[in-house]
C-alpha cells in the first residue's frame, strides 16, 4: 500500500508552496494528464536512473525535515529518546523482514506492513503511555504539578546538588 503523503513533505519543502488551492489545481491537472495516454507514455519512458535520483532527493528531503522537527523535541529527562528509538526499530521491521506479518489478519497487515504506518502507530502509542498516562505519586497530565510537588532530598539532579547548601 503506497500513499503520497510522505512525498508531499519533501515537495512542499522544496517548492515552498503550501497553498491548498495549488494542490487541488495540480491534482486536477494530473487527472486530466492521466486521461491522455500519449503523455503517460512520455512519463513512462523516463529512464530509471532519473526517476531514482528524483526519489533519492525527495526522500532525503523528508529525512531532513524529520530531523528538523526532532530538533525541537526535549530528549532530556523524558522518555522521548526511548519512544523515538523503539518507533524507528518498529518501522524497520517490515523493511528488513517483509514477510514477518503475513500470518496476521489483513487489517493488521495494513498497519504493521508499512514502515511509515507502523512507526507512527508505535510512536503514538508509546507517547500516550509514557507522556500522557499518570504515574503513581505524580500528578496526572493537565493537573498543576506545583500543587502536587513534594520536594525530595534523596534524588537531586546534578544541578540541584551543586546548588544545595
Amino acid at each position: 500500500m503506497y500513499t503520497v503523503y510522505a512525498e508531499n513533505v519533501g515537495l512542499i519543502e522544496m517548492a515552498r508552496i503550501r497553498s491548498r488551492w495549488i494542490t487541488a489545481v495540480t491534482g486536477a491537472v494530473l487527472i486530466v494528464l492521466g486521461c491522455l495516454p500519449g503523455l503517460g507514455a512520455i512519463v513512462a519512458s523516463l529512464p530509471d536512473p532519473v526517476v531514482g535520483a528524483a526519489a533519492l532527493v525527495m526522500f532525503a528531503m523528508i529525512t531532513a525535515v524529520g530531523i528538523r522537527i526532532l530538533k525541537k523535541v526535549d530528549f532530556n529527562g523524558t522518555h522521548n529518546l526511548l519512544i523515538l528509538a523503539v518507533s524507528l526499530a518498529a518501522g524497520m521491521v517490515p523493511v528488513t523482514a517483509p514477510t514477518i506479518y503475513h500470518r496476521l489478519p489483513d487489517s493488521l497487515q495494513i498497519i504493521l506492513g508499512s514502515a511509515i504506518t507502523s512507526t507512527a502507530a508505535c510512536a503514538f502509542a508509546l507517547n500516550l503511555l509514557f507522556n500522557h498516562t499518570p504515574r503513581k505519586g505524580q500528578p496526572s497530565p493537565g493537573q498543576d504539578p506545583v500543587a502536587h510537588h513534594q520536594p525530595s532530598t534523596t534524588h537531586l539532579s546534578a544541578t540541584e546538588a551543586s546548588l544545595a547548601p
Side-chain angles (χ1 to χ4, degrees), residues 62-84:
I62 293 166
T63 303
V65 170
I67 291 169
R68 185 173 67 191
I69 291 169
L70 287 174
K71 184 174 73 170
K72 300 175 184 175
V73 175
D74 179 21
F75 289 109
N76 297 322
T78 65
H79 295 287
N80 291 338
L81 191 59
L82 177 64
I83 293 169
L84 175 64

Side-chain angles (χ1 to χ4, degrees), residues 8-78:
N8 282 344
V9 171
L11 278 175
I12 289 169
E13 190 61 31
M14 288 191 314
R16 303 245 184 241
I17 297 172
R18 293 170 172 84
S19 169
R20 290 184 181 139
W21 171 252
I22 298 297
T23 304
V25 169
T26 303
V29 169
L30 289 174
I31 290 171
V32 170
L33 291 176
C35 295
L36 302 173
L39 290 176
I42 292 172
V43 172
S45 69
L46 287 174
D48 287 341
V50 172
V51 175
L56 181 67
V57 171
M58 185 76 61
F59 287 108
M61 183 63 74
I62 293 166
T63 303
V65 170
I67 291 169
R68 185 173 67 191
I69 291 169
L70 287 174
K71 184 174 73 170
K72 300 175 184 175
V73 175
D74 179 21
F75 289 109
N76 297 322
T78 65

Side-chain angles (χ1 to χ4, degrees), residues 87-109:
S87 299
L88 288 175
M92 290 304 295
V93 169
V95 174
T96 57
T99 60
I100 195 165
Y101 299 122
H102 281 285
R103 294 182 184 239
L104 294 176
D106 289 341
S107 58
L108 286 176
Q109 284 184 30

Side-chain angles (χ1 to χ4, degrees), residues 94-149:
V95 174
T96 57
T99 60
I100 195 165
Y101 299 122
H102 281 285
R103 294 182 184 239
L104 294 176
D106 289 341
S107 58
L108 286 176
Q109 284 184 30
I110 291 171
I111 295 170
L112 298 175
S114 164
I116 293 173
T117 307
S118 59
T119 302
C122 184
F124 183 77
L126 290 176
N127 185 48
L128 283 177
L129 177 68
F130 288 126
N131 294 329
H132 298 284
T133 303
R135 306 248 187 275
K136 185 178 178 182
Q138 293 182 350
S140 63
Q143 288 183 337
D144 184 12
V146 176
H148 294 63
H149 179 69

